[in-house]
Amino acid sequence: MAAAGDGPWLDDAAGRLVRPFTVSNGRTRPTVPLDLMSQLMATGATPFGYLGPEHAQALELCRAPMPVAEVAAHLKLPAAVTKVLLSDLVDCGALTTKPPAFHDHPTDRALLEAVLDGLRRQL
């Protein structure tokens, strides 16, 4: 079993010992609008007040630009919980965010067909 300060509290047999929404104090809505592909980056500012271990891990992950979905995957938390944690860090000035930049229209038929073709080749 991992120690309390060693990241997410996991047990090999039981899995996560702390329920995901406990990490966000039961909050389900971020204060900052975040998309799964929104890019986040640490500002270098020290967050004020106490932040949990998941906040610290998210901040460390965002030393280089990283999308919300990837942060959630690394933290092994649902995207909704991760968005709340990340919005806490944006609110205190420790992270900056910018919306994803689409060079193509995200629902462009040609793009969707190319993705489908790639998936079919993988199967």
Side-chain angles (χ1 to χ4, degrees):
M1 180 170 17
D6 291 344
W9 297 347
L10 300 173
D11 180 277
D12 293 335
R16 181 175 280 281
L17 299 176
V18 175
R19 293 284 176 225
F21 286 96
T22 305
V23 173
S24 64
N25 294 325
R27 295 173 294 147
T28 58
R29 298 191 194 277
T31 57
V32 175
L34 293 171
D35 184 286
L36 286 177
M37 295 181 358
S38 295
Q39 295 288 315
L40 295 137
M41 175 112 181
T43 62
T46 303
F48 55 85
Y50 172 76
L51 296 177
E54 288 82 3
H55 285 94
Q57 287 177 328
L59 191 54
E60 183 64 28
L61 288 168
C62 294
R63 291 177 77 169
M66 185 168 291
V68 171
E70 195 168 336
V71 174
H74 283 287
L75 294 178
K76 297 180 177 142
L77 288 171
V81 173
T82 303
K83 287 179 182 182
V84 171
L85 297 176
L86 294 171
S87 72
D88 291 346
L89 292 168
V90 170
D91 288 343
C92 72
L95 288 180
T96 59
T97 182
K98 69 177 193 171
F102 291 110
H103 299 291
D104 296 311
H105 192 274
T107 57
D108 178 22
R109 183 177 179 94
L111 174 63
L112 295 174
E113 287 176 356
V115 170
L116 182 59
D117 289 342
L119 291 171
R120 285 184 179 145
R121 277 183 260 147
Q122 294 296 320
L123 300 174

